Amino acid sequence: MRADVPLRPMGMAPAVLEPERRTRHFFRPVRVVFLLLVSCLALTFYYTQVVVPGGEDSDSFIPTTSYALVLLLINLDLIGVVVLLLLLSRNLIKAYFERRHRLIGSGFRTKLVAAFIGFSLIPTVLLALVASGLVNKAVDVWFSDQIDRVMRDSYEVARMQHAGHITLAVNSARAISHEIFREDLLLPAQRDILISAMARKRVEFGVAGIEVYSAKMETLTRSLDPDVPAGVLDLPVGQLVLQAINGKQENNTVQEAPTGRLVRAAAPIAASGRGGEVGGVVLVDAYVPESLLAKMDGIGRQYEEYKQIKAMKNPIKAGAYLFVAVITVLILFGATWFGFYVARSITVPIQRLAEATEAIAQGDLSVRIDAKATDEIGTLIESFNRMTTDLQSGKSAIEAANVSLRQNNLELDRRRAYIETVVATIAAGLLSIGKNGIITNFNPSGERILGISADRFHGRSANDVFKEFGLTLFQTLYDRMLVDQRDDLTMDGTAEVEGKFLTIALHGSRMKDEMNQDLGIVLVFEDLTELLKAQKVAAWQEVARRVAHEIKNPLTPIQLSAQRMRKKFFEKASDFERVFDESTNVIVNEVTSLKHMVDEFSKFARLPAPQLVQQSLHDVINEVVALYRGAHKDIELVVSLDEDLPPLKFDWEQIKRVLVNLLDNSIQAMSQKGRLWLTTQYDTKRRRAVVSIADEGSGIALEDQEKLFVPYFTRKKTGTGLGLAIVRRIITDHEGHIQAGNNHPKGAIFTFELPV
């Protein structure tokens, strides 16, 4: 079953583009590796069954240790299996992720492959278990204790056989030597008796030959076995005879002959009537035939090889298990590969159908699928072709509707041009940002206020523009609207743009269409520099008026006290001392109050510039917290510090003063008893350190929230109204922001931010 689809490759979804080509790319290396593996397995079988056994001796039933080539082939087999497993695992993992992402045809392909694996898994595993058991039993029998005992006994018999020949020769030579001495057979008169006696002794002892030599190494007699090859008994014996004569002791030697092995033993014959003298030497030959020698050597060699191979018992088992595992994996691999092959013949038409659907979604209604299938998939493809024909016939109707839409679009363009004209003529600056973060509009008033051409804004990322021109206030408001998903936000602050210092009031609004879909953000800003200058003049005038008023208030009791003392002094009144004490106390208290107020005003008016140093904000917080925990036993301080907060630049003493003022206000609001929460948080997106101080006090009235940081505004009976004004001044000098609100369920919360 196959379907050919004339599709354009442009715009195709990557998940369904050219599936047949990708499938061919997968099956091609699989075929190559599979053929190489089959070849290696065939060579392995040939060498293990034909070459290696054929190179052994016919009488050996234990294999030799020359397995280098076989082990190499086994390693190649293992490598081939691993490569096949990797290829198969790659395709299985690919099928898993396709199934997980719900790609077309992935579910059916997975089920089909799982069915093939399931049908082959049970018999294959049973076969592997049975074969492994048989291999294990066969190897155990091969290297059993009985086999080991038989090999060891055979080796001992062969060794004892060789030692027996030597013992026979030595004992025979000793016995014959004693008999010759006892019978005095070395005398010339006894020569015939010596010859016949030696012939008899050769037969009696069953040796290959007996030779008698005089002390002068003359041959007195030789009795040789005619069945022994003549060349064997003709081996030189002079050295052995000379050693027996000179050493006066028995000697033996083993000589290798072309057709066997000759064991010779020489025994000295004592001379009659001469104590300690050697009268002659008797030489006994024991012959080991070549056939017996070969069997003895073969038994010894087989026993040594058996011990070597027994040491390889576990590797032999491992090799057999490996062979069983290779066959098992090949069966499972064949089932899986066949499952993929069958699934491909079904899923490829489905994927081609998906490609054609994607082409139609991109507007190509001329696409057709040339179906050669005759089953249900072929019926589906025919239905699809009919559908595309119907869609193409309806395209003309859609194009007619497009004409009407174009007219409507022209009307919309006219309205858009009108709106752009309004935007271009308003006095406030306007900057619009699409939901993709690109600046789409920047009006002439904005160019005038900031002194920057609109060409340097249009079509660029808002974050890049704000960073390039140092528009931190714009960046802060934009980030907060994105993070908090706010529809409106207003902020004010200062900015240095192109060398010009501006005080800007900034308002952000989120743009939405009729379907309430997000279109981006509009920033409207105004230059408040001149307005703030006028406000500052008015504010300082108000401050001067209030300072004059605050100074005038303590002067009245000071004046009245001085006048009272003067009157009592001139009247020489009896209660002058009491009046003097009361009046001076009033004067001192009022002067102290006046001095405190002047000091606070002086601190506010002449607050030094912050000395910014890169350091840890948590260190100064911990220092302040330690002071308050020791001084206020009824205050519970709950501290939560963000470990991710990096070091930042700030003035240690000024930030410490901010924390002290805020903590003092909270403690006084709780009447010296309750819980205080001090937390820090690192805003990674805006790169700001956020510090919050919350209490359980009486809270802040709504009408007072905007006046808290105004100089000389206070609700305390003994307050000067400069503490929070100084706090705001310090935070502003650090390019930060502070705000106050009510804590839930009760109390107040002060939050300030510092740039990182």
Side-chain angles (χ1 to χ4, degrees):
M1 177 170 51
R2 181 177 178 181
D4 296 326
V5 186
L7 297 177
R8 297 173 300 176
M10 295 180 60
M12 290 294 102
V16 294
L17 182 61
E18 298 182 350
E20 189 173 2
R21 180 186 302 175
R22 295 200 308 269
T23 306
R24 288 198 302 267
H25 289 169
F26 166 71
F27 284 104
R28 185 180 302 153
V30 169
R31 293 192 185 101
V32 173
V33 175
F34 185 80
L35 292 176
L36 291 176
L37 179 59
V38 170
S39 302
C40 287
L41 287 174
L43 287 174
T44 304
F45 179 81
Y46 174 76
Y47 274 96
T48 54
Q49 298 298 323
V50 178
V51 176
V52 174
E56 298 174 353
D57 296 335
S58 59
D59 59 346
S60 175
F61 63 94
I62 300 298
T64 63
T65 58
S66 57
Y67 289 105
L69 182 59
V70 175
L71 291 178
L72 174 62
L73 291 174
I74 290 176
N75 289 330
L76 292 177
D77 296 338
L78 180 60
I79 294 172
V81 171
V82 171
V83 173
L84 282 179
L85 287 176
L86 290 176
L87 293 174
L88 182 61
S89 300
R90 172 182 175 272
N91 212 48
L92 289 174
I93 294 172
K94 178 182 175 183
Y96 167 77
F97 281 105
E98 288 179 353
R99 175 67 182 272
R100 187 174 180 181
H101 292 87
R102 301 182 183 277
L103 297 181
I104 300 297
S106 60
F108 179 81
R109 180 167 56 250
T110 303
K111 292 178 181 178
L112 191 60
V113 172
F116 274 94
I117 295 176
F119 290 150
S120 61
L121 183 62
I122 296 177
T124 303
V125 170
L126 291 176
L127 178 62
L129 293 176
V130 172
S132 299
L134 292 176
V135 167
N136 184 60
K137 186 174 181 180
V139 174
D140 290 340
V141 170
W142 191 11
F143 297 105
S144 64
D145 294 336
Q146 292 84 352
I147 298 296
D148 183 75
R149 187 161 49 251
V150 169
M151 293 298 298
R152 186 168 59 254
D153 293 342
S154 299
Y155 176 76
E156 290 296 328
V157 169
R159 189 178 61 80
M160 292 173 61
Q161 178 70 18
H162 182 267
H165 283 84
I166 297 176
T167 303
L168 174 64
V170 172
N171 293 336
S172 299
R174 184 183 303 119
I176 294 172
S177 172
H178 291 164
E179 185 173 349
I180 292 174
F181 173 76
R182 186 176 59 252
E183 299 292 336
D184 232 0
L185 297 179
L186 291 179
L187 296 175
Q190 302 286 343
R191 187 65 48 85
D192 295 333
I193 298 174
L194 175 65
I195 294 173
S196 61
M198 293 302 101
R200 186 179 66 253
K201 290 294 181 181
R202 182 188 64 78
V203 176
E204 179 182 345
F205 287 103
V207 294
I210 298 176
E211 302 176 37
V212 180
Y213 294 91
S214 66
K216 296 180 181 181
M217 297 184 65
E218 298 173 347
T219 304
L220 300 181
T221 181
R222 293 184 70 190
S223 177
L224 303 178
D225 188 352
D227 295 331
V228 178
V232 175
L233 297 176
D234 292 336
L235 293 175
V237 298
Q239 188 67 27
L240 182 62
V241 173
L242 183 61
Q243 290 176 357
I245 294 173
N246 295 334
K248 299 180 182 181
Q249 61 182 3
E250 300 174 13
N251 288 312
N252 62 81
T253 184
V254 177
Q255 294 178 321
E256 297 293 337
T259 58
R261 180 180 297 171
L262 190 64
V263 178
R264 282 178 165 174
I269 304 171
S272 299
R274 291 179 294 175
E277 294 294 329
V278 175
V281 175
V282 59
L283 184 69
V284 177
D285 300 328
Y287 174 66
V288 182
E290 185 177 9
S291 60
L292 179 60
L293 184 64
K295 291 185 180 296
M296 292 170 56
D297 293 340
I299 291 174
R301 184 173 61 256
Q302 290 175 5
Y303 182 66
E304 293 298 325
E305 291 177 353
Y306 176 81
K307 289 193 294 183
Q308 294 178 7
I309 296 177
K310 187 175 182 180
M312 298 174 61
K313 177 180 179 181
N314 292 331
I316 291 174
K317 276 188 177 182
Y321 290 150
L322 177 61
F323 185 79
V324 172
V326 169
I327 298 301
T328 303
V329 170
L330 286 179
I331 294 174
L332 293 177
F333 175 81
T336 307
W337 183 84
F338 188 73
F340 276 110
Y341 183 84
V342 174
R344 180 172 64 95
S345 64
I346 300 175
T347 56
V348 167
I350 297 176
Q351 289 178 327
R352 289 187 173 274
L353 187 62
E355 291 178 357
T357 305
E358 179 68 18
I360 291 176
Q362 295 178 1
D364 185 8
L365 299 180
S366 62
V367 63
R368 297 292 185 274
I369 300 178
D370 185 13
K372 296 181 181 179
T374 58
D375 54 5
E376 291 78 7
I377 296 180
T379 304
L380 178 63
I381 293 176
E382 291 178 359
S383 301
F384 176 84
N385 290 334
R386 287 196 301 269
M387 179 193 69
T388 55
T389 302
D390 295 337
L391 289 174
Q392 193 171 17
S393 63
K395 185 177 181 181
S396 57
I398 296 175
E399 290 176 349
N402 285 337
V403 175
S404 177
L405 288 176
R406 290 194 190 97
Q407 295 176 353
N408 294 333
N409 288 335
L410 291 175
E411 180 63 25
L412 291 175
D413 289 339
R414 284 194 292 269
R415 292 184 181 182
R416 181 174 56 81
Y418 175 76
I419 294 174
E420 290 178 352
T421 302
V422 173
V423 169
T425 55
I426 61 175
L430 185 143
L431 187 147
S432 62
I433 306 172
K435 63 179 182 180
N436 57 356
I438 302 300
I439 297 176
T440 57
N441 193 11
F442 186 58
N443 70 343
S445 296
E447 293 182 271
R448 174 180 53 80
I449 294 173
L450 299 181
I452 303 175
S453 172
D455 295 337
R456 304 173 71 180
F457 278 60
H458 284 152
R460 296 182 60 190
S461 170
N463 293 323
D464 295 341
V465 171
F466 295 156
K467 182 178 180 181
E468 178 181 350
F469 296 105
L471 301 176
T472 307
L473 181 64
F474 288 69
Q475 184 72 64
T476 302
L477 184 139
Y478 179 59
D479 290 342
R480 291 183 62 180
M481 291 191 69
L482 292 179
V483 174
D484 300 338
Q485 293 296 315
R486 299 182 61 168
D487 292 335
D488 297 278
L489 182 62
T490 300
M491 296 179 64
D492 58 74
T494 60
E496 182 182 357
V497 184
E498 301 290 324
K500 180 172 63 174
F501 290 91
L502 301 174
T503 302
I504 296 175
L506 181 63
H507 178 78
S509 298
R510 191 175 296 276
M511 297 184 294
K512 296 185 178 180
D513 58 10
E514 296 83 356
M515 304 299 294
N516 203 31
Q517 297 293 324
D518 185 15
L519 299 179
I521 295 175
V522 173
L523 304 182
V524 179
F525 55 94
E526 293 181 297
D527 184 5
L528 303 181
T529 305
E530 298 300 328
L531 177 62
L532 288 180
K533 287 181 181 179
Q535 289 179 347
K536 286 183 179 180
V537 172
W540 279 110
Q541 289 176 351
E542 177 64 19
V543 169
R545 185 186 65 76
R546 296 192 64 172
V547 169
H549 177 71
E550 294 295 333
I551 293 176
K552 183 179 179 181
N553 286 339
L555 290 179
T556 300
I558 291 173
Q559 182 181 8
L560 292 176
S561 297
Q563 290 174 350
R564 185 182 179 192
M565 283 192 300
R566 180 182 178 83
K567 180 180 178 182
K568 292 293 183 179
F569 176 76
F570 286 111
E571 291 178 353
K572 300 188 182 297
S574 59
D575 59 348
F576 174 74
E577 292 183 357
R578 180 183 60 79
V579 172
F580 179 82
D581 183 62
E582 292 176 355
S583 298
T584 53
N585 285 334
V586 170
I587 292 172
V588 170
N589 290 336
E590 294 299 331
V591 170
T592 300
S593 176
L594 183 61
K595 183 176 181 299
H596 176 68
M597 181 190 63
V598 172
D599 288 342
E600 289 295 320
F601 178 76
S602 176
K603 292 178 182 178
F604 175 71
R606 295 186 293 104
L607 194 66
Q611 302 298 319
L612 303 181
V613 179
Q614 188 87 6
Q615 52 196 327
S616 173
L617 182 61
H618 290 168
D619 290 344
V620 66
I621 291 175
N622 291 329
E623 179 180 330
V624 173
V625 168
L627 295 175
Y628 278 86
R629 280 179 173 164
H632 299 275
K633 302 299 183 182
D634 296 331
I635 296 296
E636 180 185 354
L637 266 171
V638 181
V639 181
S640 176
L641 304 180
D642 189 350
E643 297 297 333
D644 295 331
L645 180 63
L648 59 148
K649 290 185 178 181
F650 63 90
D651 188 305
W652 181 283
E653 293 299 328
Q654 291 191 8
I655 296 300
K656 181 178 178 181
R657 185 172 183 180
V658 169
L659 296 171
V660 168
N661 280 336
L662 295 179
L663 289 173
D664 283 341
N665 283 345
S666 297
I667 292 173
Q668 292 175 13
M670 296 189 300
S671 300
Q672 310 290 328
K673 185 176 182 180
R675 282 190 298 176
L676 269 174
W677 291 270
L678 195 156
T679 62
T680 63
Q681 185 179 2
Y682 179 42
D683 189 338
T684 56
K685 292 185 177 180
R686 299 188 298 121
R687 295 189 58 78
R688 310 283 285 185
V690 183
V691 183
S692 299
I693 299 175
D695 58 54
E696 294 180 326
S698 56
I700 306 171
L702 293 178
E703 62 272 12
D704 293 341
Q705 288 187 6
E706 297 296 330
K707 305 176 184 178
L708 283 178
F709 302 103
V710 176
Y712 294 103
F713 174 80
T714 181
R715 294 294 185 185
K716 302 176 184 177
K717 295 181 180 180
T718 59
T720 62
L722 290 175
L724 291 180
I726 293 175
V727 167
R728 185 176 188 180
R729 172 76 178 276
I730 292 174
I731 297 300
T732 302
D733 289 345
H734 282 75
E735 298 182 0
H737 176 71
I738 187 169
Q739 60 184 4
N742 286 318
N743 191 26
H744 296 287
K746 65 175 182 177
I749 181 170
F750 288 84
T751 302
F752 65 88
E753 301 176 357
L754 297 175
V756 177

